[in-house]
Structure formats: structure tokens, C-alpha cells
Amino acid sequence: MSTRILPLELIDKAIGSKIWILMRGETEIVGTLRGFDDYVNLVLDDAVEYSPDARNPGEICKTELESEILLNGNHVTVLIPGSGPEDSLAASS
């Protein structure tokens, strides 16, 4: 019989490490996970936001967020430990 792991337990294991977050829409955020709550609201340090440039199709806007940030869990679609694969917006900027 395999051991069951709850989703919040998996997120808890990622505290203190880099995490790649896909948000609703086409925004991606990479940062260090500092904490979270039961609603998957996330606290990140050293975060960088990647999103498509509305003025220049095909270009990626990279925004370094210089302070600790809080992400609303309602807008988070996927959490992945690490900084993302080669075909992500984060890797292509």
C-alpha cells in the first residue's frame, strides 16, 4: 500500500526553495517560497514575473519584484519546484 500525501504537504516541502508558478492568464512567476496558507496564498522572496508584452507580440516582459510578495491563491494554477523548463516564459527571456 502506498503512502498518501496531501497537496499542502507537498507545498510545505518546497518552503525555502525556488518554485515556478503558473498564474491564470499567461503570467509566470519564479521565486523562493517563504510560506503559504490553507487557501494556497503564497509568500515569495526574490520573485521575478514573466508575462507576454502586449505592445510587442512575441516579446516577454521580465519584472523583478524587489520586495517580499503575497500571491492570491485564487490566481495560482500550477506550482512546480524549480525555475521552470526550457520552453517556459521564464526560460525564454
Side-chain angles (χ1 to χ4, degrees), residues 9-19 32-34 80-81:
E9 291 175 3
L10 287 174
I11 298 170
D12 190 52
K13 289 181 180 181
I15 289 179
S17 62
K18 281 278 192 202
I19 191 164
T32 303
L33 181 64
R34 293 294 174 215
I80 304 163

Side-chain angles (χ1 to χ4, degrees), residues 4 7 10 21 28 30 36 39 49 56 58-59 61-62 91:
R4 294 172 75 179
L10 287 174
I21 302 162
E28 298 178 11
V30 176
F36 68 97
Y39 300 101
E49 177 184 34
N56 298 317
E59 296 291 319
C61 288
K62 176 181 175 181

Side-chain angles (χ1 to χ4, degrees), residues 11-59:
I11 298 170
D12 190 52
K13 289 181 180 181
I15 289 179
S17 62
K18 281 278 192 202
I19 191 164
W20 174 44
I21 302 162
L22 301 179
M23 306 292 287
R24 286 188 182 178
E26 298 182 63
T27 302
E28 298 178 11
I29 297 177
V30 176
T32 303
L33 181 64
R34 293 294 174 215
F36 68 97
D37 64 11
D38 290 342
Y39 300 101
V40 192
N41 295 313
L42 306 172
V43 177
L44 299 174
D45 272 338
D46 306 319
V48 180
E49 177 184 34
Y50 301 91
S51 59
D53 189 342
R55 290 180 245 152
N56 298 317
E59 296 291 319

Side-chain angles (χ1 to χ4, degrees), residues 69-80:
I69 65 167
L70 171 66
L71 291 179
N72 184 322
N74 288 329
H75 298 285
V76 173
T77 58
V78 179
L79 300 170
I80 304 163

